[in-house]
Short mmCIF file of all heavy atoms in Angstrom, two decimals:
data_model
loop_
_atom_site.label_atom_id
_atom_site.label_comp_id
_atom_site.label_asym_id
_atom_site.label_seq_id
_atom_site.Cartn_x
_atom_site.Cartn_y
_atom_site.Cartn_z
N SER U 21 -73.62 7.57 6.85
CA SER U 21 -73.15 6.60 5.86
C SER U 21 -73.77 6.83 4.49
O SER U 21 -73.60 6.03 3.58
CB SER U 21 -73.48 5.17 6.32
OG SER U 21 -74.89 5.02 6.46
N VAL U 22 -74.50 7.96 4.33
CA VAL U 22 -75.29 8.14 3.11
C VAL U 22 -74.42 8.20 1.85
O VAL U 22 -74.87 7.86 0.76
CB VAL U 22 -76.18 9.40 3.24
CG1 VAL U 22 -75.36 10.67 3.17
CG2 VAL U 22 -77.27 9.42 2.17
N LEU U 23 -73.15 8.60 2.01
CA LEU U 23 -72.24 8.66 0.86
C LEU U 23 -71.13 7.63 0.93
O LEU U 23 -70.10 7.77 0.26
CB LEU U 23 -71.64 10.07 0.74
CG LEU U 23 -72.59 11.13 0.18
CD1 LEU U 23 -71.97 12.51 0.27
CD2 LEU U 23 -72.98 10.82 -1.25
N ASP U 24 -71.33 6.56 1.70
CA ASP U 24 -70.29 5.54 1.80
C ASP U 24 -70.05 4.80 0.49
O ASP U 24 -69.02 4.14 0.33
CB ASP U 24 -70.64 4.53 2.91
CG ASP U 24 -70.18 5.01 4.28
OD1 ASP U 24 -69.89 6.22 4.42
OD2 ASP U 24 -70.11 4.19 5.21
N SER U 25 -70.98 4.91 -0.45
CA SER U 25 -70.74 4.31 -1.77
C SER U 25 -69.51 4.93 -2.42
O SER U 25 -68.82 4.27 -3.21
CB SER U 25 -71.96 4.50 -2.68
OG SER U 25 -72.25 5.88 -2.85
N MET U 26 -69.20 6.19 -2.08
CA MET U 26 -67.99 6.84 -2.60
C MET U 26 -66.73 6.10 -2.18
O MET U 26 -65.70 6.17 -2.85
CB MET U 26 -67.90 8.29 -2.09
CG MET U 26 -68.85 9.25 -2.75
SD MET U 26 -68.72 10.92 -2.04
CE MET U 26 -67.01 11.35 -2.35
N LEU U 27 -66.80 5.39 -1.06
CA LEU U 27 -65.62 4.73 -0.51
C LEU U 27 -65.43 3.31 -1.03
O LEU U 27 -64.30 2.81 -1.07
CB LEU U 27 -65.74 4.67 1.03
CG LEU U 27 -66.08 5.97 1.75
CD1 LEU U 27 -66.28 5.71 3.24
CD2 LEU U 27 -64.99 7.00 1.51
N PHE U 28 -66.51 2.65 -1.42
CA PHE U 28 -66.43 1.23 -1.72
C PHE U 28 -66.85 0.85 -3.14
O PHE U 28 -66.34 -0.12 -3.70
CB PHE U 28 -67.29 0.43 -0.73
CG PHE U 28 -66.90 0.63 0.70
CD1 PHE U 28 -67.61 1.48 1.53
CD2 PHE U 28 -65.80 -0.03 1.23
CE1 PHE U 28 -67.24 1.68 2.85
CE2 PHE U 28 -65.41 0.15 2.55
CZ PHE U 28 -66.14 1.00 3.36
N LYS U 29 -67.77 1.59 -3.72
CA LYS U 29 -68.36 1.17 -4.99
C LYS U 29 -67.46 1.54 -6.17
O LYS U 29 -66.99 2.67 -6.27
CB LYS U 29 -69.72 1.86 -5.16
CG LYS U 29 -70.53 1.37 -6.35
CD LYS U 29 -71.91 2.02 -6.35
CE LYS U 29 -72.71 1.62 -7.58
NZ LYS U 29 -74.04 2.25 -7.60
N PRO U 30 -67.18 0.60 -7.08
CA PRO U 30 -66.38 0.91 -8.28
C PRO U 30 -67.23 1.60 -9.36
O PRO U 30 -67.81 0.94 -10.22
CB PRO U 30 -65.90 -0.47 -8.75
CG PRO U 30 -66.94 -1.42 -8.26
CD PRO U 30 -67.52 -0.83 -7.00
N PHE U 31 -67.31 2.91 -9.30
CA PHE U 31 -68.07 3.67 -10.30
C PHE U 31 -67.38 3.60 -11.66
O PHE U 31 -66.19 3.28 -11.74
CB PHE U 31 -68.21 5.13 -9.86
CG PHE U 31 -69.03 5.31 -8.62
CD1 PHE U 31 -68.42 5.49 -7.38
CD2 PHE U 31 -70.42 5.29 -8.67
CE1 PHE U 31 -69.17 5.65 -6.24
CE2 PHE U 31 -71.17 5.46 -7.53
CZ PHE U 31 -70.55 5.63 -6.30
N PRO U 32 -68.10 3.92 -12.75
CA PRO U 32 -67.52 3.80 -14.11
C PRO U 32 -66.22 4.57 -14.29
O PRO U 32 -65.30 4.08 -14.94
CB PRO U 32 -68.63 4.36 -15.00
CG PRO U 32 -69.90 4.15 -14.24
CD PRO U 32 -69.53 4.27 -12.79
N LEU U 33 -66.13 5.78 -13.73
CA LEU U 33 -64.94 6.61 -13.92
C LEU U 33 -64.02 6.56 -12.70
O LEU U 33 -63.09 7.36 -12.59
CB LEU U 33 -65.34 8.06 -14.18
CG LEU U 33 -66.25 8.32 -15.38
CD1 LEU U 33 -66.62 9.79 -15.46
CD2 LEU U 33 -65.58 7.88 -16.66
N CYS U 34 -64.29 5.63 -11.79
CA CYS U 34 -63.68 5.67 -10.47
C CYS U 34 -62.16 5.53 -10.49
O CYS U 34 -61.61 4.60 -11.08
CB CYS U 34 -64.28 4.56 -9.61
SG CYS U 34 -63.80 4.63 -7.90
N ASP U 35 -61.49 6.46 -9.84
CA ASP U 35 -60.04 6.37 -9.62
C ASP U 35 -59.84 5.63 -8.29
O ASP U 35 -60.05 6.18 -7.22
CB ASP U 35 -59.44 7.78 -9.56
CG ASP U 35 -57.92 7.75 -9.46
OD1 ASP U 35 -57.42 7.17 -8.49
OD2 ASP U 35 -57.26 8.32 -10.35
N ARG U 36 -59.40 4.36 -8.37
CA ARG U 36 -59.33 3.52 -7.17
C ARG U 36 -58.28 4.01 -6.19
O ARG U 36 -58.39 3.78 -4.98
CB ARG U 36 -59.06 2.06 -7.56
CG ARG U 36 -60.11 1.44 -8.49
CD ARG U 36 -61.53 1.61 -7.97
NE ARG U 36 -61.79 0.87 -6.77
CZ ARG U 36 -62.24 -0.38 -6.73
NH1 ARG U 36 -62.50 -1.02 -7.87
NH2 ARG U 36 -62.47 -0.98 -5.59
N ASN U 37 -57.24 4.68 -6.68
CA ASN U 37 -56.21 5.19 -5.78
C ASN U 37 -56.76 6.28 -4.88
O ASN U 37 -56.59 6.26 -3.66
CB ASN U 37 -55.02 5.72 -6.60
CG ASN U 37 -53.90 6.23 -5.71
OD1 ASN U 37 -53.60 5.64 -4.68
ND2 ASN U 37 -53.28 7.32 -6.10
N ILE U 38 -57.47 7.25 -5.48
CA ILE U 38 -58.07 8.32 -4.69
C ILE U 38 -59.15 7.77 -3.77
O ILE U 38 -59.28 8.19 -2.62
CB ILE U 38 -58.62 9.42 -5.62
CG1 ILE U 38 -57.44 10.20 -6.23
CG2 ILE U 38 -59.56 10.36 -4.87
CD1 ILE U 38 -57.83 11.33 -7.14
N GLN U 39 -59.90 6.80 -4.27
CA GLN U 39 -60.93 6.18 -3.45
C GLN U 39 -60.32 5.51 -2.20
O GLN U 39 -60.84 5.63 -1.10
CB GLN U 39 -61.71 5.14 -4.27
CG GLN U 39 -62.97 4.63 -3.58
CD GLN U 39 -63.70 3.62 -4.43
OE1 GLN U 39 -63.10 2.70 -4.99
NE2 GLN U 39 -65.02 3.76 -4.52
N SER U 40 -59.19 4.82 -2.36
CA SER U 40 -58.56 4.14 -1.23
C SER U 40 -57.96 5.14 -0.24
O SER U 40 -57.99 4.92 0.97
CB SER U 40 -57.50 3.16 -1.72
OG SER U 40 -56.42 3.84 -2.34
N ILE U 41 -57.40 6.25 -0.75
CA ILE U 41 -56.87 7.29 0.15
C ILE U 41 -58.01 7.86 0.99
O ILE U 41 -57.88 8.02 2.21
CB ILE U 41 -56.19 8.41 -0.65
CG1 ILE U 41 -54.93 7.90 -1.34
CG2 ILE U 41 -55.84 9.60 0.26
CD1 ILE U 41 -54.33 8.89 -2.33
N LEU U 42 -59.11 8.16 0.33
CA LEU U 42 -60.28 8.72 1.02
C LEU U 42 -60.79 7.75 2.09
O LEU U 42 -61.06 8.15 3.23
CB LEU U 42 -61.37 9.01 -0.01
CG LEU U 42 -62.63 9.75 0.43
CD1 LEU U 42 -62.28 11.13 0.94
CD2 LEU U 42 -63.61 9.84 -0.74
N ARG U 43 -60.87 6.48 1.73
CA ARG U 43 -61.42 5.47 2.66
C ARG U 43 -60.45 5.12 3.79
O ARG U 43 -60.80 5.15 4.96
CB ARG U 43 -61.77 4.21 1.86
CG ARG U 43 -62.34 3.07 2.71
CD ARG U 43 -62.54 1.82 1.87
NE ARG U 43 -61.27 1.35 1.34
CZ ARG U 43 -61.06 1.09 0.04
NH1 ARG U 43 -62.01 1.27 -0.85
NH2 ARG U 43 -59.87 0.65 -0.36
N ASP U 44 -59.19 4.79 3.42
CA ASP U 44 -58.25 4.19 4.39
C ASP U 44 -57.46 5.23 5.18
O ASP U 44 -57.09 4.98 6.33
CB ASP U 44 -57.28 3.26 3.67
CG ASP U 44 -58.00 2.17 2.89
OD1 ASP U 44 -59.13 1.83 3.28
OD2 ASP U 44 -57.44 1.66 1.90
N GLU U 45 -57.20 6.39 4.58
CA GLU U 45 -56.35 7.37 5.27
C GLU U 45 -57.15 8.50 5.94
O GLU U 45 -56.62 9.22 6.78
CB GLU U 45 -55.35 7.99 4.28
CG GLU U 45 -54.36 6.99 3.71
CD GLU U 45 -53.30 7.66 2.85
OE1 GLU U 45 -52.95 8.83 3.11
OE2 GLU U 45 -52.84 7.01 1.88
N ILE U 46 -58.42 8.65 5.54
CA ILE U 46 -59.21 9.76 6.09
C ILE U 46 -60.45 9.26 6.85
O ILE U 46 -60.58 9.49 8.05
CB ILE U 46 -59.60 10.76 4.98
CG1 ILE U 46 -58.33 11.40 4.40
CG2 ILE U 46 -60.55 11.84 5.52
CD1 ILE U 46 -58.56 12.30 3.22
N VAL U 47 -61.35 8.56 6.17
CA VAL U 47 -62.62 8.21 6.79
C VAL U 47 -62.45 7.16 7.89
O VAL U 47 -63.01 7.31 9.00
CB VAL U 47 -63.63 7.72 5.73
CG1 VAL U 47 -64.94 7.29 6.41
CG2 VAL U 47 -63.92 8.83 4.72
N SER U 48 -61.69 6.11 7.64
CA SER U 48 -61.52 5.07 8.66
C SER U 48 -60.87 5.60 9.94
O SER U 48 -61.37 5.34 11.04
CB SER U 48 -60.71 3.89 8.09
OG SER U 48 -61.48 3.17 7.16
N PRO U 49 -59.74 6.35 9.86
CA PRO U 49 -59.18 6.91 11.10
C PRO U 49 -60.13 7.88 11.80
O PRO U 49 -60.18 7.92 13.03
CB PRO U 49 -57.92 7.64 10.62
CG PRO U 49 -57.63 7.15 9.28
CD PRO U 49 -58.89 6.62 8.70
N LEU U 50 -60.88 8.66 11.02
CA LEU U 50 -61.81 9.63 11.61
C LEU U 50 -62.86 8.90 12.44
O LEU U 50 -63.19 9.31 13.56
CB LEU U 50 -62.48 10.46 10.51
CG LEU U 50 -63.49 11.50 10.95
CD1 LEU U 50 -62.85 12.57 11.84
CD2 LEU U 50 -64.15 12.17 9.74
N ARG U 51 -63.39 7.81 11.90
CA ARG U 51 -64.44 7.07 12.61
C ARG U 51 -63.87 6.19 13.72
O ARG U 51 -64.55 5.92 14.71
CB ARG U 51 -65.22 6.20 11.62
CG ARG U 51 -66.06 7.01 10.63
CD ARG U 51 -66.72 6.10 9.61
NE ARG U 51 -67.60 6.86 8.70
CZ ARG U 51 -68.26 6.31 7.69
NH1 ARG U 51 -68.13 5.00 7.44
NH2 ARG U 51 -69.04 7.05 6.92
N LYS U 52 -62.64 5.75 13.58
CA LYS U 52 -62.04 4.86 14.58
C LYS U 52 -61.48 5.64 15.76
O LYS U 52 -61.76 5.29 16.92
CB LYS U 52 -60.93 4.03 13.92
CG LYS U 52 -60.26 3.05 14.88
CD LYS U 52 -59.14 2.29 14.18
CE LYS U 52 -58.47 1.31 15.14
NZ LYS U 52 -57.34 0.59 14.50
N THR U 53 -60.70 6.68 15.50
CA THR U 53 -60.01 7.40 16.57
C THR U 53 -60.48 8.84 16.73
O THR U 53 -60.11 9.49 17.70
CB THR U 53 -58.49 7.41 16.32
OG1 THR U 53 -58.21 8.23 15.16
CG2 THR U 53 -57.97 6.00 16.07
N GLY U 54 -61.24 9.36 15.76
CA GLY U 54 -61.69 10.74 15.83
C GLY U 54 -60.65 11.75 15.39
O GLY U 54 -60.82 12.95 15.57
N PHE U 55 -59.55 11.27 14.78
CA PHE U 55 -58.49 12.19 14.38
C PHE U 55 -57.90 11.78 13.04
O PHE U 55 -57.66 10.60 12.77
CB PHE U 55 -57.37 12.20 15.43
CG PHE U 55 -56.21 13.11 15.08
CD1 PHE U 55 -56.36 14.49 15.12
CD2 PHE U 55 -54.99 12.58 14.69
CE1 PHE U 55 -55.30 15.34 14.78
CE2 PHE U 55 -53.92 13.41 14.35
CZ PHE U 55 -54.08 14.79 14.40
N VAL U 56 -57.66 12.78 12.16
CA VAL U 56 -57.02 12.57 10.87
C VAL U 56 -55.85 13.53 10.76
O VAL U 56 -56.00 14.74 10.96
CB VAL U 56 -58.01 12.81 9.70
CG1 VAL U 56 -57.31 12.60 8.36
CG2 VAL U 56 -59.21 11.88 9.81
N ARG U 57 -54.68 13.00 10.43
CA ARG U 57 -53.48 13.82 10.30
C ARG U 57 -53.56 14.68 9.05
O ARG U 57 -54.13 14.29 8.03
CB ARG U 57 -52.25 12.92 10.20
CG ARG U 57 -52.01 12.05 11.41
CD ARG U 57 -51.00 10.94 11.10
NE ARG U 57 -49.73 11.49 10.68
CZ ARG U 57 -48.70 11.69 11.51
NH1 ARG U 57 -48.81 11.37 12.78
NH2 ARG U 57 -47.56 12.19 11.06
N ALA U 58 -52.92 15.85 9.12
CA ALA U 58 -52.88 16.76 7.97
C ALA U 58 -52.19 16.11 6.78
O ALA U 58 -52.53 16.39 5.62
CB ALA U 58 -52.18 18.05 8.36
N SER U 59 -51.21 15.23 7.04
CA SER U 59 -50.48 14.58 5.94
C SER U 59 -51.40 13.69 5.10
O SER U 59 -51.19 13.54 3.89
CB SER U 59 -49.31 13.75 6.49
OG SER U 59 -49.78 12.79 7.43
N SER U 60 -52.42 13.12 5.72
CA SER U 60 -53.37 12.28 4.98
C SER U 60 -54.21 13.12 4.02
O SER U 60 -54.44 12.74 2.87
CB SER U 60 -54.28 11.52 5.94
OG SER U 60 -53.53 10.65 6.77
N VAL U 61 -54.66 14.28 4.52
CA VAL U 61 -55.43 15.18 3.66
C VAL U 61 -54.54 15.74 2.55
O VAL U 61 -54.98 15.88 1.41
CB VAL U 61 -56.07 16.32 4.49
CG1 VAL U 61 -56.84 17.27 3.58
CG2 VAL U 61 -57.00 15.75 5.55
N MET U 62 -53.28 16.03 2.87
CA MET U 62 -52.35 16.53 1.85
C MET U 62 -52.12 15.48 0.77
O MET U 62 -51.98 15.81 -0.42
CB MET U 62 -51.02 16.94 2.50
CG MET U 62 -50.01 17.51 1.51
SD MET U 62 -50.63 18.96 0.58
CE MET U 62 -50.50 20.23 1.84
N HIS U 63 -52.08 14.21 1.15
CA HIS U 63 -51.93 13.13 0.17
C HIS U 63 -53.10 13.15 -0.82
O HIS U 63 -52.91 13.03 -2.03
CB HIS U 63 -51.87 11.77 0.89
CG HIS U 63 -51.47 10.64 0.02
ND1 HIS U 63 -51.61 9.31 0.38
CD2 HIS U 63 -50.94 10.60 -1.25
CE1 HIS U 63 -51.18 8.53 -0.59
NE2 HIS U 63 -50.77 9.29 -1.59
N LEU U 64 -54.31 13.34 -0.28
CA LEU U 64 -55.50 13.45 -1.14
C LEU U 64 -55.41 14.69 -2.02
O LEU U 64 -55.70 14.64 -3.22
CB LEU U 64 -56.76 13.50 -0.28
CG LEU U 64 -58.09 13.69 -1.03
CD1 LEU U 64 -58.37 12.50 -1.95
CD2 LEU U 64 -59.25 13.88 -0.04
#
């Protein structure tokens, strides 16, 4: 979790769209089910 701030913290230059893709389409499924679809990474 050492870089979880990347997923939740609103940094000064933060692009919230990319942050939400990273959090909701990649990291959450990876930790919940252990699998991330290629389409999610392609979206990023």
Side-chain angles (χ1 to χ4, degrees):
S21 61
V22 72
L23 284 173
D24 275 16
S25 60
M26 285 177 60
L27 310 175
F28 301 101
K29 188 175 177 181
F31 294 100
L33 303 176
C34 188
D35 185 301
R36 301 308 293 270
N37 182 39
I38 288 182
Q39 191 180 46
S40 65
I41 293 171
L42 187 61
R43 179 185 62 232
D44 303 334
E45 296 186 30
I46 296 175
V47 177
S48 289
L50 179 62
R51 292 176 177 178
K52 181 182 180 182
T53 68
F55 179 71
V56 179
R57 298 165 60 95
S59 57
S60 298
V61 178
M62 182 57 76
H63 191 194
L64 177 64

